[in-house]
Amino acid sequence: MKRRTLLLGAAATGGGLLLGWALLPPRSRLGDRALLALQAGEVAFNGWIKIAADGGVALAMNRSEMGQGVHTALPMLVAEELDIGLDRVRLMQAGADAVYGNVATFVASLPFHPRDSEPGRRTAAVKGGEWVVAKLARELGINMTGASTSIVDAWEPLRLAAATVRAQLVGAASLRWRLPKEEIVVHGGVVSHASGKRAHFGELATAAAGTPAGDVTLKPRAAWTLIGRDTPRTDVVAKSNGSAVYGLDVRPEGLLYAAVRMCPVLGGAPQRVGNEDEVLRRPGVLRLVRLPARAGATAGVAVVARSSWHARQAVEALAIDWAPPPAGTVDSKAIAASLEATARDALAHDGGLAYYRSGGDAAAAEREAGARVVEALYRAPYLAHAALEPINCTAQVRDGHVTVWAPTQVPGIARAHAARAAGVDESAVTLHVTLLGGGFGRRLDADFVAQAVAVAQETGGRPVQLLWSREEDTTHDYYRPAAAAALKAVLGADGRALSLRIASAGDAITPRWMERGLPWLAGPVDLPDKTTAEGLFDQPYAIAHQRIAHVATRSGVPVGYWRSVGHSHNAFFIESFIDELAHAAQQDPVAYRLALLAGSPRHAAVLQLAAVQAGWGSPLPSGRARGVALHESFGSIVAQVAEVSLAANGVPRVHRVVCAVDCGTVVNPGIVRQQMEGGIVFGLTAALHGGIDIVAGVVQQKNFPEQPLLTLAESPRIETYLMASEHPPGGVGEPGTPPIAPAVANALFVLTGVRRRVLPLRG
C-alpha cells in the first residue's frame, strides 16, 4: 500500500475520513456522524483538517496536552506541509473517537515476545495475547496519550494529511486559473502564480475539497522552515495568564462539588456511615453518595455540596466503618523480600522462565575455568505519580445523556467507563478532554471518571465536579510496581563481559490495566508483559551470551504505568551493574561501555557527546564525583553524566547533569530540551525521595511532606545536547527519566566506595 492511500480523500457528510494509524476501523464506532463538526464557511478535507472561510486551518487534536508540548509540536507538522503560519492553525480536541486511535503503537507496547528467543514456539499466553490485539484493533481502536508516541505516531500521517490538502488546493487553483500545477506555489497560507493570480486557502477550499489530490509528496527536509527550529510554544500565554482550562477549571452552569473518601486499607470498602444525618445537616451539604466497587473504580463514599470546601470538610467528618479487603492485606516489606527471593531463585535455577532475550550459552561461560563472576541484586520500591493537579472529573447526567469533562490520557476508555457507570450506550456520552496538570501515566486509568458519573446520577441533572484530596490521590494510586533483579556476569581476562544473565521479578502492569480498563474483557488477564522487562532485554551492549528473563508476580497492590514504565527501574538495575563490571575490570566506566558498543554507533556517539560536554576525566572540586548512565527507551537514546556530592548528613546533592539525546529527527528543539529537563527532575525526585510503604494494607505516605518533590534549591543545573539525525522521530516525554538514578548512584559509589543497590538513594 502506498503511503498516500492511507488517506481517504472522498468527502463524507461533513468531511472525509483519514485512516491515520494502521489497524483502525474505517468508520466511527458511534455511527455516521461527522468527525469534524463544521461551522459556517468551514470545509472539511479529511478527518484531521478543515479550512475556514478566512483561510485559517483547524486541526483535530487527538492527543492530550499534559505539559509535553504536543499542542505545539503536532500543529507544526501540519503548518510545515501547508506552508502556513503556526498561529493560523487552530486546534479542535478530537481524541474520543475510535478512528483517532493509535492502536498500532499500543500493540507495540503489549505483552508478547519482544524478541522471540525460540522461533516457532507459540505459547497459549502469546496466542491469547494475539487475540486481545485483534480485539483491540477490531472493536476499540484504542486512543491514548502515552508511551511517548504522539510525534512518533503522527510523524507521517499528519504530514501526509496536510500534504494532501496542499495538493488539493494547488489542484483547485490549477483548474480555476487553467495553469499548470507545477507553476503554482503555496506560501503563507496563499496559493499564487507568477502571473499575479493568488487566493488564500479559504477562497479555494470548497473547490479543493472535491479535487483529486493526485500524487502526494512530502516536503523535502531541505525545504523545512518550521520542523527542526526552536519555535515558541503556543500554550505559553494561556498557561501564564490563567485562561488555560484544566480539569479543575471547568465551570458549567449549576455546578456542584463532590469530595470522596475511600478505605484507608487497600481493597477495603465502606460498610456503615454512623453519622450520615449529622453530616447532611452541615452548611452547604446536599447529599451523600455511596460509590460501589466496580472494574477500574474503588469503592468509597462521596459528599456533594455547594462548594469544594463544604464537600471536603463534610467528607472528612464522616464516621465510616470499613470492611476489610476479602483477599487480606498487603505489606510492602514482605513483598520486597518475596521479590528478592523470586529473582534470586529464578537466576539460580535458570529454567522454566519466560525469556525475553536468549543467545549463546551463558551457563557454559560461567563454568569456564578462571572466569571472574560478578553478581548483584537490585531493588526498587512502589512509586506514586504525584501529579500536581489532583485527580478530578466533572460530569453531568441529564435526560439519558452523559457529558464529561476530564483530564484524561485515554478519552475512548474514559467514555466507555462513563457509559458503563451511567448504564447508557457510548453514543450517549459526550467527552471533553481538558488540559492535564500532569499525567505521568496515572491518567491512563479512568477510575475517577466512573466515580464522577456515579455521583452525577444523584444530583438531579446538575453537573458535579469530583475532586480527590492529595491524601486520597497518594493512598489510592495505581503505583509503579516494586521490582527486584538478580544479575550475574562473567568477565574475561581483559575484563570484558562474556556473559550476562538477568532474572527480574515484579507485577505485570498491562494485564492489570486491561482488566480494569477494557469493558469488554471479563475475568483475569494473564499474559507476559514486556513493559516489566524493557530496558533489560533490549540493552545495547554486545555481550555474546545473554539470558534475560522476568517472573511476573501478582502482589495485590494496584499497579499502573508510571513515567517510562519498566525502564524507570530497569535502567537503574542494568546501568549500575555495568558500572560494577567496569569497576571489577578496573576500567573507566565510559571506556568500558564504549568497548561494548562497537556495534551500536548511535549509542556510542550519544555517550561520547555526554562525556565530552561533561568534561569526563577532568578534575572536580573536592568532595564531588561524576557518574554516567546510558539508556535507550521509547525509540530515543539518552546518556547522562551527574555531578554529585554528599552533604554532612549523608544526603546526596546533584549539582549538574549533562544530558545528550538522539531522538531522531527533532521537530521542536526547545520542547525536546524541556522534556529532558522535566524527565531528569522527575526521575531525580524519585531517586532521592520516592517510595511508597504499605503496612497492613495502609499506604504510609499521605502528602508531599512524606513524599517530597525536588525543590528548586535542590535542582541541578541541566545541560541538554541534541544529536543531529535524519532518523524518524523517537519519543521524548519519558526517555529523560531512566538514566538519572543510575548516573547518581554511580557517582555515589565513586564518592563513598559503597554500591547503593536499593532505591531511593538517600539511605
Side-chain angles (χ1 to χ4, degrees), residues 159-501:
R159 288 188 301 142
L160 280 168
T164 300
V165 173
R166 189 176 191 272
Q168 289 177 281
L169 289 165
V170 169
S174 174
L175 292 172
R176 177 177 295 183
W177 300 334
R178 301 193 180 192
L179 292 167
K181 289 190 291 185
E182 295 75 19
E183 297 178 6
I184 296 172
V185 298
V186 178
H187 181 69
V190 174
V191 184
S192 63
H193 184 264
S195 64
K197 296 184 181 295
R198 55 187 286 122
H200 66 64
F201 287 178
E203 295 171 310
L204 294 168
T206 300
T211 301
D215 192 13
V216 176
T217 58
L218 299 175
K219 285 175 66 174
R221 185 177 294 261
W224 291 347
T225 58
L226 268 178
I227 295 175
R229 287 168 169 75
D230 272 310
T231 303
R233 287 177 55 156
T234 58
D235 54 2
V236 168
V237 172
K239 290 180 176 180
S240 299
N241 66 20
S243 61
V245 178
Y246 292 85
L248 288 176
D249 296 319
V250 172
R251 292 292 184 272
E253 185 178 354
L255 181 66
L256 300 175
Y257 299 85
V260 64
R261 271 181 68 192
M262 293 167 282
C263 183
V265 180
L266 294 175
Q271 200 167 33
R272 176 180 172 273
V273 179
N275 61 343
E276 180 174 349
D277 291 340
E278 175 190 333
V279 170
L280 287 173
R281 289 193 295 269
R282 293 171 70 101
V285 174
L286 300 177
R287 66 182 305 115
L288 183 146
V289 180
R290 289 170 173 80
L291 299 170
R294 64 178 82 225
T298 304
V301 179
V303 170
V304 181
R306 300 187 189 280
S307 76
S308 58
W309 175 255
H310 286 117
R312 172 53 47 201
Q313 294 300 302
V315 82
E316 291 297 335
L318 291 173
I320 305 174
D321 295 330
W322 300 100
T329 61
V330 293
D331 184 276
S332 58
K333 282 189 177 180
I335 291 170
S338 175
L339 291 173
E340 288 189 4
T342 298
R344 288 187 192 276
D345 184 67
L347 190 72
H349 292 91
D350 192 29
L353 301 177
Y355 284 96
Y356 285 83
R357 181 171 183 172
S358 182
D361 191 341
E366 291 170 8
R367 292 192 297 268
E368 286 185 11
R372 285 187 292 167
V373 177
V374 181
E375 293 186 74
L377 190 135
Y378 283 81
R379 183 162 54 83
Y382 291 104
L383 287 177
H385 294 83
L388 286 183
E389 181 186 22
I391 294 297
N392 70 92
C393 179
T394 303
Q396 183 174 29
V397 180
R398 184 170 62 187
D399 301 328
H401 190 86
V402 181
T403 304
V404 174
W405 297 263
T408 177
Q409 295 175 245
V410 280
I413 289 177
R415 185 175 59 192
H417 274 265
R420 184 166 46 172
V424 300
D425 189 78
E426 286 186 43
S427 61
V429 178
T430 299
L431 178 75
H432 303 283
V433 180
T434 68
L435 295 175
L436 283 62
F440 314 125
R442 175 60 179 92
R443 288 175 166 98
L444 288 170
D445 277 282
D447 50 330
F448 52 96
V449 175
Q451 283 189 343
V453 171
V455 174
Q457 287 182 289
E458 306 296 326
T459 59
R462 292 181 66 177
V464 60
Q465 186 173 95
L466 179 72
L467 171 63
W468 290 19
S469 68
R470 178 62 62 189
E471 289 75 13
E472 294 294 344
D473 189 0
T474 304
T475 58
H476 293 88
D477 202 345
Y478 290 108
Y479 305 100
R480 194 214 44 198
L487 305 96
K488 187 174 184 177
V490 169
L491 304 185
D494 60 355
R496 186 185 178 98
L498 302 178
S499 71
L500 174 66
R501 287 199 296 121

Side-chain angles (χ1 to χ4, degrees), residues 375-748:
E375 293 186 74
L377 190 135
Y378 283 81
R379 183 162 54 83
Y382 291 104
L383 287 177
H385 294 83
L388 286 183
E389 181 186 22
I391 294 297
N392 70 92
C393 179
T394 303
Q396 183 174 29
V397 180
R398 184 170 62 187
D399 301 328
H401 190 86
V402 181
T403 304
V404 174
W405 297 263
T408 177
Q409 295 175 245
V410 280
I413 289 177
R415 185 175 59 192
H417 274 265
R420 184 166 46 172
V424 300
D425 189 78
E426 286 186 43
S427 61
V429 178
T430 299
L431 178 75
H432 303 283
V433 180
T434 68
L435 295 175
L436 283 62
F440 314 125
R442 175 60 179 92
R443 288 175 166 98
L444 288 170
D445 277 282
D447 50 330
F448 52 96
V449 175
Q451 283 189 343
V453 171
V455 174
Q457 287 182 289
E458 306 296 326
T459 59
R462 292 181 66 177
V464 60
Q465 186 173 95
L466 179 72
L467 171 63
W468 290 19
S469 68
R470 178 62 62 189
E471 289 75 13
E472 294 294 344
D473 189 0
T474 304
T475 58
H476 293 88
D477 202 345
Y478 290 108
Y479 305 100
R480 194 214 44 198
L487 305 96
K488 187 174 184 177
V490 169
L491 304 185
D494 60 355
R496 186 185 178 98
L498 302 178
S499 71
L500 174 66
R501 287 199 296 121
I502 305 174
S504 58
D507 282 12
I509 301 170
T510 303
R512 306 294 82 78
W513 179 84
M514 293 169 69
E515 285 174 0
R516 62 181 180 258
L518 306 183
W520 44 265
L521 282 175
V525 178
D526 288 306
L527 300 169
D529 183 2
K530 84 176 181 67
T531 69
T532 56
E534 61 189 2
L536 296 177
F537 72 82
D538 49 358
Q539 41 78 23
Y541 299 113
I543 301 173
H545 308 288
Q546 294 194 41
R547 281 174 78 78
I548 316 296
H550 179 81
V551 180
T553 58
R554 192 160 189 168
S555 67
V557 175
V559 296
Y561 300 110
W562 189 91
R563 190 176 190 173
S564 73
V565 202
H567 293 284
S568 66
H569 48 80
N570 288 334
F572 171 65
F573 299 161
I574 185 65
E575 280 300 291
S576 296
F577 190 64
I578 292 294
D579 241 55
E580 292 203 49
L581 301 186
H583 178 73
Q586 297 183 334
Q587 295 181 21
D588 175 81
V590 170
Y592 191 81
R593 285 173 170 82
L594 289 173
L596 294 174
L597 293 171
S600 302
R602 289 181 71 186
H603 295 79
V606 172
L607 178 59
Q608 287 173 316
L609 177 61
V612 168
Q613 295 298 334
W616 186 266
S618 63
L620 281 171
S622 177
R624 291 194 189 187
R626 296 187 184 97
V628 66
L630 170 74
H631 197 75
E632 179 181 0
S633 62
F634 306 96
S636 296
I637 306 163
V638 178
Q640 291 171 10
V641 176
E643 202 171 290
V644 183
S645 69
L646 278 177
N649 59 359
V651 175
R653 173 67 192 272
V654 182
H655 300 271
R656 179 188 181 210
V657 176
V658 174
C659 173
V661 55
D662 181 347
C663 59
T665 297
V666 174
V667 175
N668 188 317
I671 288 177
V672 175
R673 287 189 289 268
Q674 291 165 5
Q675 286 301 289
M676 291 300 115
E677 292 166 4
I680 288 167
V681 171
F682 190 84
L684 190 54
T685 290
L688 298 181
H689 306 302
I692 289 294
D693 301 307
I694 306 169
V695 178
V698 179
V699 173
Q700 301 301 294
Q701 289 76 16
K702 310 297 181 188
N703 207 316
F704 288 128
E706 300 91 13
Q707 186 187 251
L709 301 182
L710 200 71
T711 66
L712 186 60
E714 292 177 292
S715 298
R717 189 176 92 218
I718 299 173
E719 303 166 25
T720 301
Y721 299 91
L722 310 182
M723 298 288 295
S725 175
E726 295 190 4
H727 289 277
V732 298
E734 294 167 282
T737 295
I740 188 61
V744 173
N746 293 335
L748 289 173

